Amino acid sequence: MGLIVQKFGGSSVANAERVMNVAKIVTDTYKQGNDVVVVVSAQGDTTDDLIAKAKEINTNATKREMDMLLASGEQISIALLAMAIQSLGFPVISLLGWQAGFSTNSVYSAARIKKVNTDRLKMELGNKKIVVVAGFQGLNDKEDITTLGRGGSDTSAVAIACALQADKCQIFTDVDGVYTADPRKVKNAKKLSEITYDEMLELATLGAQVLNNRSVEMAKKYNIALEVISSLNPIPGTIVKEVAKMEKMLVRGVTKDTDVARISIVGLTDVPGIAFKIFSKLAANNINVDIILQSVGRNNTKDIAFTVSKDNAPVAIEALRALPFVDEDLPIECDTDVAKVSVVGAGMETHPGTAS
Ligand code: ADP
Ligand code: ASP
Ligand code: MG
């Protein structure tokens, strides 16, 4: 008996039957005498569909309005799940991110959680309700809706688990645990019964979407053990924690990330500090730069190439063009036909690299 946070991703609540299946898992946990907070994502491909809807109207919409739109996907899920739980005869309440106390900074579409005010959550739990919370969203200082970035519901769940000092945080998904590679793509990938935060963080950061990297970072910081588990197949999943049993494997996992654009600035005048200026400018625009390559200087010029997510490429190019030393006719190349393949090893260095 204790306090359990259970998170269900989009595929786990994709249709009425799946929502009822989740209601059954949640109420079984409650029946065992636990307090239960449930975090859900938008159903199936809803978030992608909402992005497509926005693009039909305005390909350049502000991120504020995008967040306003995207947060609606999770609103549908919490209401439907609460209704499903009611139909099974259990006390339940659904809460949007802000109602559940999520304050974030104002970086729309990639907001960071500043605080979870647990008053409302504690009050509802005190009234013996199952609390269903919309993942992926919060409220900024201006009282505007923000979202945490794709896959952000994992982080919402971990944040609640930390704030309430939960006994368990279970991440239910459509695979039965963390594998050495994406089990949908690599048939002989091996399931790991345990993995350390650091290894999981590497896998997640390098493209294994099974857990969002920020959620792993937060779980490590607050020492919350995570269990990645299937919502459809009731077998033990993978535990993510500080120290894990080492299975005898040199390579812990392999990831592939295709959400990559490689931007190259060719023929920059080679003066000291130029790379610093470029990367500061990108940082000021909240662009995460990943792999960086700098050519050796020749004829007083050099090339700088780096990777960003595909989404960020147009903003990155615009930011670079605004730099005084990037002339209009200086070539900036953008290649989106690349992927990043990374090998994560137990105790080894990571060697990411891009390939066309
Ligand atoms: P959810 O909707 O539940 O959040 P996601 O689609 O975000 O689920 O994450 C689950 C998916 O992550 C799986 O369907 C699987 O294809 C993919 N995946 C990628 N790498 C791995 C890995 N190393 N282990 C397990 N799943 C992985
Ligand atoms: N619905 C959001 C997304 O598709 C958040 C999540 O699934 O965690 O990215
Ligand atoms: Mg996910």
Short mmCIF file of all heavy atoms in Angstrom, two decimals, residues 7 9-10 41 150-154 171-173 209-212, ligand 3:
data_model
loop_
_atom_site.label_atom_id
_atom_site.label_comp_id
_atom_site.label_asym_id
_atom_site.label_seq_id
_atom_site.Cartn_x
_atom_site.Cartn_y
_atom_site.Cartn_z
N LYS A 7 1.60 6.23 -15.48
CA LYS A 7 1.48 7.05 -16.69
C LYS A 7 1.14 6.15 -17.88
O LYS A 7 1.75 5.09 -18.04
CB LYS A 7 2.79 7.82 -16.92
CG LYS A 7 2.79 8.70 -18.16
CD LYS A 7 3.49 8.07 -19.33
CE LYS A 7 3.29 8.82 -20.62
NZ LYS A 7 4.03 8.21 -21.75
N GLY A 9 0.78 6.17 -22.07
CA GLY A 9 1.07 6.92 -23.29
C GLY A 9 -0.06 6.82 -24.29
O GLY A 9 -1.06 6.13 -24.06
N GLY A 10 0.12 7.51 -25.41
CA GLY A 10 -0.93 7.65 -26.43
C GLY A 10 -1.50 6.34 -26.93
O GLY A 10 -2.73 6.20 -27.05
N SER A 41 -1.45 10.72 -21.76
CA SER A 41 -1.11 11.48 -22.98
C SER A 41 -2.34 11.55 -23.87
O SER A 41 -3.34 10.90 -23.60
CB SER A 41 -0.04 10.75 -23.78
OG SER A 41 1.10 10.55 -23.04
N ARG A 150 7.67 17.20 -27.09
CA ARG A 150 7.13 15.89 -27.47
C ARG A 150 7.58 14.81 -26.48
O ARG A 150 8.73 14.82 -26.04
CB ARG A 150 7.55 15.50 -28.89
CG ARG A 150 7.07 16.43 -29.98
CD ARG A 150 5.56 16.64 -30.01
NE ARG A 150 4.75 15.46 -30.10
CZ ARG A 150 4.29 14.91 -31.22
NH1 ARG A 150 4.59 15.45 -32.37
NH2 ARG A 150 3.52 13.83 -31.21
N GLY A 151 6.66 13.95 -26.14
CA GLY A 151 6.96 12.89 -25.17
C GLY A 151 6.97 13.39 -23.73
O GLY A 151 7.36 12.67 -22.81
N GLY A 152 6.50 14.62 -23.52
CA GLY A 152 6.63 15.27 -22.21
C GLY A 152 5.77 14.69 -21.09
O GLY A 152 5.98 15.00 -19.92
N SER A 153 4.82 13.84 -21.43
CA SER A 153 3.98 13.28 -20.36
C SER A 153 4.78 12.41 -19.40
O SER A 153 4.43 12.29 -18.22
CB SER A 153 2.86 12.41 -20.94
OG SER A 153 2.03 13.19 -21.74
N ASP A 154 5.84 11.81 -19.90
CA ASP A 154 6.70 11.02 -19.00
C ASP A 154 7.23 11.94 -17.89
O ASP A 154 7.27 11.57 -16.71
CB ASP A 154 7.91 10.44 -19.75
CG ASP A 154 7.51 9.46 -20.84
OD1 ASP A 154 6.45 8.84 -20.73
OD2 ASP A 154 8.29 9.32 -21.82
N ILE A 171 5.60 3.62 -15.81
CA ILE A 171 5.37 4.20 -17.14
C ILE A 171 4.83 3.08 -18.04
O ILE A 171 5.60 2.22 -18.49
CB ILE A 171 6.68 4.79 -17.73
CG1 ILE A 171 7.38 5.74 -16.74
CG2 ILE A 171 6.42 5.46 -19.08
CD1 ILE A 171 6.73 7.08 -16.53
N PHE A 172 3.53 3.07 -18.24
CA PHE A 172 2.92 2.03 -19.08
C PHE A 172 3.00 2.47 -20.55
O PHE A 172 2.70 3.61 -20.88
CB PHE A 172 1.45 1.85 -18.71
CG PHE A 172 1.23 1.13 -17.41
CD1 PHE A 172 1.24 1.83 -16.21
CD2 PHE A 172 1.03 -0.24 -17.38
CE1 PHE A 172 1.04 1.18 -15.00
CE2 PHE A 172 0.82 -0.91 -16.18
CZ PHE A 172 0.83 -0.20 -14.99
N THR A 173 3.38 1.53 -21.41
CA THR A 173 3.50 1.89 -22.82
C THR A 173 3.13 0.70 -23.70
O THR A 173 2.50 -0.25 -23.24
CB THR A 173 4.92 2.47 -23.10
OG1 THR A 173 4.98 2.87 -24.45
CG2 THR A 173 6.03 1.48 -22.78
N GLN A 209 12.75 6.65 -27.82
CA GLN A 209 11.67 7.50 -27.31
C GLN A 209 10.88 6.84 -26.19
O GLN A 209 9.95 7.46 -25.65
CB GLN A 209 10.73 7.89 -28.43
CG GLN A 209 9.66 6.85 -28.73
CD GLN A 209 9.14 6.97 -30.12
OE1 GLN A 209 9.86 6.85 -31.10
NE2 GLN A 209 7.85 7.20 -30.23
N VAL A 210 11.23 5.60 -25.83
CA VAL A 210 10.45 4.89 -24.81
C VAL A 210 10.34 5.69 -23.51
O VAL A 210 9.33 5.63 -22.82
CB VAL A 210 11.00 3.45 -24.62
CG1 VAL A 210 12.42 3.45 -24.10
CG2 VAL A 210 10.09 2.63 -23.73
N LEU A 211 11.37 6.45 -23.17
CA LEU A 211 11.27 7.39 -22.05
C LEU A 211 11.83 8.73 -22.51
O LEU A 211 12.87 8.78 -23.17
CB LEU A 211 12.10 6.92 -20.85
CG LEU A 211 11.49 5.90 -19.90
CD1 LEU A 211 12.50 5.56 -18.80
CD2 LEU A 211 10.20 6.41 -19.27
N ASN A 212 11.15 9.79 -22.15
CA ASN A 212 11.62 11.12 -22.49
C ASN A 212 12.86 11.44 -21.64
O ASN A 212 12.89 11.13 -20.46
CB ASN A 212 10.46 12.08 -22.19
CG ASN A 212 10.80 13.50 -22.40
OD1 ASN A 212 11.39 14.11 -21.53
ND2 ASN A 212 10.46 14.02 -23.55
MG MG B 3 6.21 8.70 -25.14
#
